[in-house]
Short mmCIF file of all heavy atoms in Angstrom, two decimals:
data_model
loop_
_atom_site.label_atom_id
_atom_site.label_comp_id
_atom_site.label_asym_id
_atom_site.label_seq_id
_atom_site.Cartn_x
_atom_site.Cartn_y
_atom_site.Cartn_z
N ALA A 753 8.46 4.94 -0.20
CA ALA A 753 8.54 3.78 -1.11
C ALA A 753 7.15 3.32 -1.55
O ALA A 753 6.86 2.11 -1.61
CB ALA A 753 9.31 2.65 -0.45
N GLY A 754 6.28 4.26 -1.84
CA GLY A 754 4.96 3.92 -2.37
C GLY A 754 3.94 3.48 -1.35
O GLY A 754 2.83 3.09 -1.72
N GLN A 755 4.29 3.55 -0.06
CA GLN A 755 3.34 3.16 0.98
C GLN A 755 2.30 4.25 1.20
O GLN A 755 2.32 5.30 0.55
CB GLN A 755 4.10 2.85 2.27
CG GLN A 755 5.10 1.70 2.14
CD GLN A 755 5.90 1.48 3.41
OE1 GLN A 755 5.52 1.92 4.48
NE2 GLN A 755 7.02 0.79 3.27
N LYS A 756 1.40 4.04 2.13
CA LYS A 756 0.29 4.97 2.32
C LYS A 756 0.79 6.33 2.81
O LYS A 756 1.86 6.45 3.41
CB LYS A 756 -0.72 4.40 3.32
CG LYS A 756 -0.22 4.25 4.74
CD LYS A 756 -1.32 3.68 5.64
CE LYS A 756 -0.83 3.58 7.09
NZ LYS A 756 -1.87 3.06 7.98
N TRP A 757 -0.01 7.36 2.56
CA TRP A 757 0.34 8.72 2.94
C TRP A 757 0.32 8.88 4.46
O TRP A 757 -0.56 8.36 5.14
CB TRP A 757 -0.64 9.73 2.33
CG TRP A 757 -0.57 9.86 0.84
CD1 TRP A 757 -1.48 9.39 -0.07
CD2 TRP A 757 0.47 10.48 0.09
NE1 TRP A 757 -1.09 9.69 -1.34
CE2 TRP A 757 0.11 10.37 -1.27
CE3 TRP A 757 1.65 11.13 0.42
CZ2 TRP A 757 0.88 10.88 -2.30
CZ3 TRP A 757 2.43 11.64 -0.61
CH2 TRP A 757 2.05 11.51 -1.95
N GLN A 758 1.32 9.63 4.97
CA GLN A 758 1.37 9.99 6.38
C GLN A 758 1.37 11.51 6.50
O GLN A 758 2.14 12.19 5.79
CB GLN A 758 2.66 9.47 7.04
CG GLN A 758 2.92 8.00 6.91
CD GLN A 758 4.28 7.63 7.50
OE1 GLN A 758 4.69 8.14 8.55
NE2 GLN A 758 4.99 6.73 6.82
N LEU A 759 0.55 12.06 7.35
CA LEU A 759 0.56 13.50 7.59
C LEU A 759 1.81 13.86 8.40
O LEU A 759 2.04 13.31 9.47
CB LEU A 759 -0.69 13.94 8.35
CG LEU A 759 -0.76 15.42 8.72
CD1 LEU A 759 -0.80 16.30 7.47
CD2 LEU A 759 -1.98 15.71 9.61
N ARG A 760 2.61 14.78 7.87
CA ARG A 760 3.86 15.16 8.54
C ARG A 760 3.77 16.54 9.20
O ARG A 760 4.30 16.74 10.28
CB ARG A 760 5.02 15.17 7.52
CG ARG A 760 5.32 13.83 6.90
CD ARG A 760 5.93 12.88 7.90
NE ARG A 760 7.30 13.25 8.26
CZ ARG A 760 8.04 12.57 9.14
NH1 ARG A 760 7.52 11.52 9.77
NH2 ARG A 760 9.27 12.95 9.42
N HIS A 761 3.12 17.49 8.52
CA HIS A 761 3.10 18.86 9.04
C HIS A 761 1.80 19.54 8.65
O HIS A 761 1.28 19.31 7.54
CB HIS A 761 4.26 19.69 8.48
CG HIS A 761 5.61 19.12 8.77
ND1 HIS A 761 6.30 19.37 9.93
CD2 HIS A 761 6.41 18.29 8.03
CE1 HIS A 761 7.46 18.73 9.91
NE2 HIS A 761 7.55 18.06 8.76
N THR A 762 1.31 20.37 9.53
CA THR A 762 0.25 21.32 9.22
C THR A 762 0.81 22.70 9.56
O THR A 762 1.26 22.93 10.68
CB THR A 762 -1.02 21.04 10.02
OG1 THR A 762 -1.53 19.76 9.64
CG2 THR A 762 -2.08 22.09 9.74
N THR A 763 0.81 23.62 8.59
CA THR A 763 1.54 24.88 8.76
C THR A 763 0.93 25.99 7.93
O THR A 763 0.25 25.72 6.93
CB THR A 763 3.01 24.69 8.36
OG1 THR A 763 3.72 25.91 8.55
CG2 THR A 763 3.14 24.25 6.90
N GLN A 764 1.18 27.22 8.33
CA GLN A 764 0.86 28.39 7.52
C GLN A 764 2.11 28.96 6.86
O GLN A 764 2.02 29.94 6.12
CB GLN A 764 0.16 29.45 8.37
CG GLN A 764 -1.24 29.05 8.80
CD GLN A 764 -1.99 30.17 9.50
OE1 GLN A 764 -1.40 31.04 10.13
NE2 GLN A 764 -3.31 30.16 9.37
N ALA A 765 3.24 28.35 7.12
CA ALA A 765 4.49 28.77 6.47
C ALA A 765 4.51 28.26 5.03
O ALA A 765 3.66 27.46 4.62
CB ALA A 765 5.68 28.24 7.25
N THR A 766 5.48 28.69 4.28
CA THR A 766 5.63 28.23 2.90
C THR A 766 6.98 27.54 2.69
O THR A 766 7.43 27.40 1.56
CB THR A 766 5.47 29.40 1.91
OG1 THR A 766 6.44 30.41 2.23
CG2 THR A 766 4.08 29.98 1.97
N ALA A 767 7.60 27.15 3.79
CA ALA A 767 8.86 26.40 3.72
C ALA A 767 9.04 25.67 5.03
O ALA A 767 8.62 26.14 6.09
CB ALA A 767 10.05 27.33 3.47
N LEU A 768 9.67 24.51 4.96
CA LEU A 768 9.92 23.75 6.19
C LEU A 768 11.00 22.71 5.95
O LEU A 768 11.32 22.35 4.81
CB LEU A 768 8.64 23.09 6.72
CG LEU A 768 7.88 22.12 5.82
CD1 LEU A 768 8.48 20.72 5.82
CD2 LEU A 768 6.42 22.03 6.27
N LEU A 769 11.56 22.24 7.06
CA LEU A 769 12.48 21.11 7.06
C LEU A 769 11.75 19.93 7.67
O LEU A 769 11.16 20.04 8.74
CB LEU A 769 13.74 21.41 7.87
CG LEU A 769 14.57 22.63 7.47
CD1 LEU A 769 15.84 22.70 8.33
CD2 LEU A 769 14.92 22.62 6.00
N ASP A 770 11.80 18.80 6.99
CA ASP A 770 11.18 17.58 7.49
C ASP A 770 12.29 16.59 7.80
O ASP A 770 12.94 16.06 6.88
CB ASP A 770 10.21 17.01 6.45
CG ASP A 770 9.45 15.80 6.97
OD1 ASP A 770 9.23 15.73 8.20
OD2 ASP A 770 9.09 14.93 6.16
N PHE A 771 12.54 16.34 9.09
CA PHE A 771 13.55 15.37 9.48
C PHE A 771 12.93 13.98 9.44
O PHE A 771 11.93 13.69 10.10
CB PHE A 771 14.12 15.69 10.86
CG PHE A 771 15.28 16.63 10.78
CD1 PHE A 771 15.07 17.99 10.60
CD2 PHE A 771 16.59 16.16 10.81
CE1 PHE A 771 16.14 18.87 10.48
CE2 PHE A 771 17.67 17.02 10.69
CZ PHE A 771 17.45 18.38 10.53
N VAL A 772 13.53 13.12 8.63
CA VAL A 772 12.92 11.83 8.30
C VAL A 772 13.76 10.65 8.78
O VAL A 772 13.52 9.52 8.37
CB VAL A 772 12.69 11.72 6.78
CG1 VAL A 772 11.69 12.76 6.31
CG2 VAL A 772 14.02 11.86 6.01
N GLY A 773 14.73 10.90 9.63
CA GLY A 773 15.61 9.84 10.07
C GLY A 773 14.89 8.68 10.71
O GLY A 773 15.32 7.52 10.57
N GLU A 774 13.76 8.95 11.40
CA GLU A 774 13.04 7.85 12.05
C GLU A 774 12.35 6.96 11.04
O GLU A 774 11.93 5.84 11.35
CB GLU A 774 12.01 8.41 13.05
CG GLU A 774 10.68 8.85 12.46
CD GLU A 774 10.70 10.24 11.86
OE1 GLU A 774 11.80 10.83 11.77
OE2 GLU A 774 9.64 10.75 11.49
N LEU A 775 12.26 7.41 9.77
CA LEU A 775 11.65 6.60 8.71
C LEU A 775 12.65 5.67 8.05
O LEU A 775 12.27 4.78 7.28
CB LEU A 775 11.01 7.51 7.66
CG LEU A 775 9.92 8.46 8.15
CD1 LEU A 775 9.43 9.35 7.00
CD2 LEU A 775 8.76 7.70 8.77
N GLY A 776 13.95 5.90 8.31
CA GLY A 776 14.98 5.07 7.70
C GLY A 776 16.03 5.90 7.01
O GLY A 776 16.09 7.12 7.15
N SER A 777 16.87 5.23 6.25
CA SER A 777 17.93 5.92 5.49
C SER A 777 17.81 5.56 4.03
O SER A 777 17.16 4.57 3.66
CB SER A 777 19.31 5.52 6.02
OG SER A 777 19.49 4.12 5.94
N ASP A 778 18.43 6.38 3.19
CA ASP A 778 18.40 6.19 1.73
C ASP A 778 16.96 5.94 1.27
O ASP A 778 16.63 4.93 0.64
CB ASP A 778 19.30 5.02 1.33
CG ASP A 778 20.75 5.27 1.72
OD1 ASP A 778 21.25 6.38 1.47
OD2 ASP A 778 21.37 4.37 2.30
N LEU A 779 16.11 6.91 1.56
CA LEU A 779 14.66 6.78 1.36
C LEU A 779 14.21 7.28 0.00
O LEU A 779 14.73 8.28 -0.51
CB LEU A 779 13.92 7.57 2.44
CG LEU A 779 14.14 7.14 3.89
CD1 LEU A 779 13.55 8.18 4.83
CD2 LEU A 779 13.52 5.77 4.14
N SER A 780 13.23 6.60 -0.58
CA SER A 780 12.49 7.11 -1.75
C SER A 780 11.20 7.70 -1.22
O SER A 780 10.35 6.98 -0.67
CB SER A 780 12.20 5.98 -2.73
OG SER A 780 13.40 5.47 -3.28
N LEU A 781 11.04 9.00 -1.37
CA LEU A 781 9.93 9.72 -0.75
C LEU A 781 9.09 10.43 -1.81
O LEU A 781 9.62 10.93 -2.80
CB LEU A 781 10.46 10.76 0.23
CG LEU A 781 11.36 10.25 1.37
CD1 LEU A 781 12.00 11.41 2.10
CD2 LEU A 781 10.56 9.39 2.33
N LYS A 782 7.80 10.47 -1.56
CA LYS A 782 6.91 11.31 -2.34
C LYS A 782 6.14 12.19 -1.36
O LYS A 782 5.56 11.70 -0.38
CB LYS A 782 5.93 10.49 -3.17
CG LYS A 782 4.96 11.36 -4.00
CD LYS A 782 4.05 10.53 -4.88
CE LYS A 782 4.79 10.03 -6.10
NZ LYS A 782 3.87 9.38 -7.07
N TYR A 783 6.19 13.51 -1.61
CA TYR A 783 5.49 14.47 -0.76
C TYR A 783 4.26 15.00 -1.50
O TYR A 783 4.27 15.17 -2.72
CB TYR A 783 6.41 15.64 -0.39
CG TYR A 783 7.38 15.30 0.72
CD1 TYR A 783 8.64 14.78 0.41
CD2 TYR A 783 7.05 15.47 2.04
CE1 TYR A 783 9.55 14.46 1.41
CE2 TYR A 783 7.95 15.14 3.06
CZ TYR A 783 9.19 14.65 2.74
OH TYR A 783 10.07 14.32 3.73
N LYS A 784 3.24 15.29 -0.71
CA LYS A 784 2.01 15.88 -1.25
C LYS A 784 1.67 17.13 -0.43
O LYS A 784 1.68 17.08 0.81
CB LYS A 784 0.85 14.89 -1.20
CG LYS A 784 -0.49 15.44 -1.69
CD LYS A 784 -1.53 14.35 -1.86
CE LYS A 784 -1.89 13.69 -0.54
NZ LYS A 784 -2.96 12.67 -0.72
N LEU A 785 1.41 18.21 -1.12
CA LEU A 785 1.01 19.47 -0.50
C LEU A 785 -0.48 19.68 -0.73
O LEU A 785 -0.97 19.57 -1.86
CB LEU A 785 1.79 20.64 -1.13
CG LEU A 785 1.38 22.06 -0.72
CD1 LEU A 785 1.77 22.34 0.74
CD2 LEU A 785 2.04 23.09 -1.65
N THR A 786 -1.22 19.96 0.34
CA THR A 786 -2.65 20.23 0.22
C THR A 786 -2.97 21.55 0.91
O THR A 786 -2.25 22.01 1.82
CB THR A 786 -3.51 19.12 0.83
OG1 THR A 786 -3.44 19.18 2.26
CG2 THR A 786 -3.08 17.75 0.35
N LEU A 787 -4.06 22.15 0.50
CA LEU A 787 -4.58 23.37 1.10
C LEU A 787 -5.84 23.02 1.88
O LEU A 787 -6.77 22.41 1.33
CB LEU A 787 -4.90 24.41 0.01
CG LEU A 787 -5.53 25.72 0.48
CD1 LEU A 787 -4.55 26.53 1.32
CD2 LEU A 787 -5.97 26.55 -0.74
N GLN A 788 -5.84 23.38 3.15
CA GLN A 788 -7.00 23.09 3.98
C GLN A 788 -8.07 24.15 3.76
O GLN A 788 -7.81 25.35 3.92
CB GLN A 788 -6.59 23.06 5.45
CG GLN A 788 -7.66 22.51 6.39
CD GLN A 788 -7.82 21.00 6.25
OE1 GLN A 788 -6.83 20.28 6.17
NE2 GLN A 788 -9.06 20.53 6.22
N GLN A 789 -9.27 23.73 3.39
CA GLN A 789 -10.39 24.66 3.20
C GLN A 789 -11.58 24.13 4.01
O GLN A 789 -12.35 23.30 3.52
CB GLN A 789 -10.75 24.78 1.72
CG GLN A 789 -9.66 25.45 0.90
CD GLN A 789 -10.11 25.76 -0.52
OE1 GLN A 789 -10.96 25.08 -1.07
NE2 GLN A 789 -9.55 26.81 -1.08
N GLY A 790 -11.69 24.62 5.25
CA GLY A 790 -12.73 24.09 6.12
C GLY A 790 -12.49 22.63 6.39
O GLY A 790 -11.43 22.22 6.86
N ASP A 791 -13.50 21.80 6.10
CA ASP A 791 -13.37 20.37 6.29
C ASP A 791 -12.78 19.67 5.07
O ASP A 791 -12.56 18.46 5.09
CB ASP A 791 -14.74 19.75 6.60
CG ASP A 791 -15.28 20.21 7.96
OD1 ASP A 791 -14.44 20.53 8.83
OD2 ASP A 791 -16.51 20.26 8.12
#
């Protein structure tokens, strides 16, 4: 719901399931994908 970004996963896979039940129900979510390059 527009709040600050939370890191959910660090992975070398290209697919995943993110269980978000602890964040609430009927959620408006925005996901961001980044590529780690050193620091």
Side-chain angles (χ1 to χ4, degrees):
Q755 299 176 19
K756 66 179 182 179
W757 292 107
Q758 305 176 40
L759 177 63
R760 297 290 289 179
H761 302 274
T762 296
T763 181
Q764 290 187 331
T766 57
L768 58 81
L769 303 184
D770 185 29
F771 272 79
V772 296
E774 83 278 7
L775 301 177
S777 58
D778 299 314
L779 299 169
S780 295
L781 303 170
K782 179 177 283 188
Y783 282 90
K784 178 169 65 177
L785 173 70
T786 73
L787 177 66
Q788 191 73 43
Q789 293 189 331
D791 293 332

